[in-house]
Amino acid sequence: MEIWLLWTLIKCARLPPPPPDLEKGVSRQRGKGKGIPIPANSKSSPIFFDRKQCGAVVNLDRLLHAESYSRSEATKAKYAVLESLYFPHDNSEAALRPFTSPLIAFAAMLCLERKGTAIYAPIFLFPPKIAKLQFSVRLTGFHMMLVDLHRYLGLTEDQKKTQEPWFE
Amino acid sequence: MNKSKDAAHRQKPPRGQAVLSNCPIQTFSYHSKAAKYFKVFGPAAVTFTGAPTGCTDICSDRGVSRLCQRKMDTLGPVPKPSETPIGGRDVRAVMTFYRDTSIERFLGDFDRQHLLSLLSLPFLNAWDLDPALRRLYNIVAESFTSDCEQVYNAATALRFAIMDCTPYVIIRSLYLYI
């Protein structure tokens, strides 16, 4: 699921940004005589990135395509993407308009049926996907906490493996 | 009196007409803590009168009727109206669902094939796999495994506080969640 999410984000970051009207939620007012009508079937990016998220995704894309590939740098970039995605600095916009959150937009895209004639997948298939995303969020949060704790305790690489008082 | 109540209870709404008024939609927000991010449009009473069949999407009548059927299977057979405690009405007939069409509206703004192409992920063992994707797969697999190992070794209280799961779930996640 993490690979799926990251690869989708990378592909979306290469696309032109979504229309500003769509980002402002004008499409919600379509049909009510308010705002500017948004043409349906847009082929722009369905995922809205803030500045930090966009920078992290572009950086990961650049590192993955670099000729002098560094696995450690790419791993750090991957964590940076997930942290900016799961724990954004400012979540107020997503609270007002949920689909401005990349994670929510990706989850909404997972509702689409990829085979057959049905538009949406059965709802019974969706909770496992949400569970995987939730597990990924928790795992990333745990990693963030661990990194901060190591930094706070000032542990070296060797000490990290041996001196971990909060571990059993 | 009872006869008229029974007759009223048995009376089905016109086929295809009661879709919106009685349509109970249960979105994925019900299953996750992300529910606070989703706007809902108020509760809708569920009536087990059966819904006309349709396509199998999250907001279709068929999906709704399957949800209702699962609820009924869980709760057992519906008793006769005269046996129910609340004025002849079955309390289970007014279970609360929420209708949320924001996903449809959001996805409707984009071309479906375009969205599916963005979601497509090549087979990871393909010989002509994009090298960048192969690298991404390697780093995600490696970091995911090491994170799971750290969580597995963490103190029980910490593991439950953060991950809310048992070591078995973490081991299983190595095979399923990556």
Side-chain angles (χ1 to χ4, degrees), chain B residues 2-176:
Chain B
N2 283 338
K3 279 187 177 179
S4 63
K5 277 187 178 178
D6 286 349
H9 186 266
R10 276 193 233 106
Q11 190 177 8
K12 292 182 178 179
R15 188 175 178 83
Q17 189 177 344
V19 172
L20 286 180
S21 59
N22 292 330
C23 187
I25 302 297
Q26 189 179 23
T27 67
F28 61 83
S29 57
Y30 182 82
H31 297 280
S32 70
K33 290 179 182 177
K36 61 184 177 182
Y37 292 114
F38 291 88
K39 289 184 179 179
V40 293
F41 297 94
V46 177
T47 52
F48 294 121
T49 52
T53 57
C55 57
T56 55
D57 59 347
I58 53 172
C59 292
S60 72
D61 300 329
R62 184 177 170 189
V64 168
S65 61
R66 286 178 67 191
L67 277 174
C68 293
Q69 190 60 49
R70 282 183 60 176
K71 291 282 184 188
M72 290 179 72
D73 292 344
T74 308
L75 295 170
V78 179
K80 292 178 183 177
S82 58
E83 297 172 0
T84 52
I86 303 177
R89 294 184 62 188
D90 184 8
V91 290
R92 288 171 293 186
V94 288
M95 281 190 300
T96 302
F97 286 80
Y98 292 95
R99 179 176 179 82
D100 186 354
T101 56
S102 56
I103 297 173
E104 283 181 302
R105 286 185 289 156
F106 169 71
L107 294 176
D109 286 329
F110 299 95
D111 181 50
R112 181 168 176 265
Q113 292 302 323
H114 172 61
L115 293 179
L116 290 177
S117 68
L118 290 175
L119 275 179
S120 66
L121 190 66
F123 184 52
L124 293 172
N125 288 331
W127 64 273
D128 57 346
L129 189 67
D130 187 349
L133 181 56
R134 196 183 298 278
R135 288 170 174 172
L136 181 66
Y137 176 76
N138 286 336
I139 62 170
V140 167
E142 186 184 13
S143 58
F144 190 88
T145 310
S146 66
D147 285 345
C148 283
E149 187 183 7
Q150 284 177 328
V151 173
Y152 182 83
N153 291 327
T156 307
L158 193 64
R159 189 173 59 238
F160 272 94
I162 306 281
M163 304 300 294
D164 193 20
C165 61
T166 61
Y168 169 73
V169 174
I170 296 167
I171 293 171
R172 195 183 58 176
S173 70
L174 286 170
Y175 298 98
L176 294 177

Side-chain angles (χ1 to χ4, degrees), chain A residues 37-156:
Chain A
I38 298 297
N41 299 327
S42 170
K43 290 194 176 182
S44 60
S45 169
I47 292 181
F48 309 102
F49 295 106
D50 62 21
R51 188 175 297 175
K52 189 177 179 185
Q53 290 164 347
C54 187
V57 173
V58 168
N59 185 39
L60 177 63
D61 189 17
R62 183 181 59 79
L63 287 172
L64 289 174
H65 286 90
E67 290 187 4
S68 57
Y69 169 67
S70 167
R71 174 176 279 200
S72 60
E73 289 295 319
T75 306
K76 285 179 186 173
K78 172 241 167 188
Y79 277 121
V81 171
L82 291 182
E83 286 169 14
S84 67
L85 192 68
Y86 294 151
F87 309 101
H89 179 66
D90 184 9
N91 214 12
S92 55
E93 187 68 19
L96 292 172
R97 286 182 284 274
F99 297 106
T100 54
S101 164
L103 188 62
I104 301 293
F106 175 73
M109 288 165 67
L110 294 179
C111 291
L112 289 172
E113 177 67 66
R114 283 179 290 171
K115 296 174 184 175
T117 56
I119 300 174
Y120 299 106
I123 191 172
F124 312 106
L125 300 180
F126 199 75
K129 297 174 184 172
I130 281 289
K132 291 175 186 178
L133 282 177
Q134 190 186 41
F135 189 87
S136 176
V137 172
R138 288 171 183 268
L139 209 59
T140 306
F142 189 86
H143 176 80
M144 286 174 67
M145 187 199 70
L146 211 59
V147 169
D148 289 343
L149 209 53
H150 283 157
R151 190 181 302 135
Y152 175 74
L153 294 174
L155 298 180
T156 62

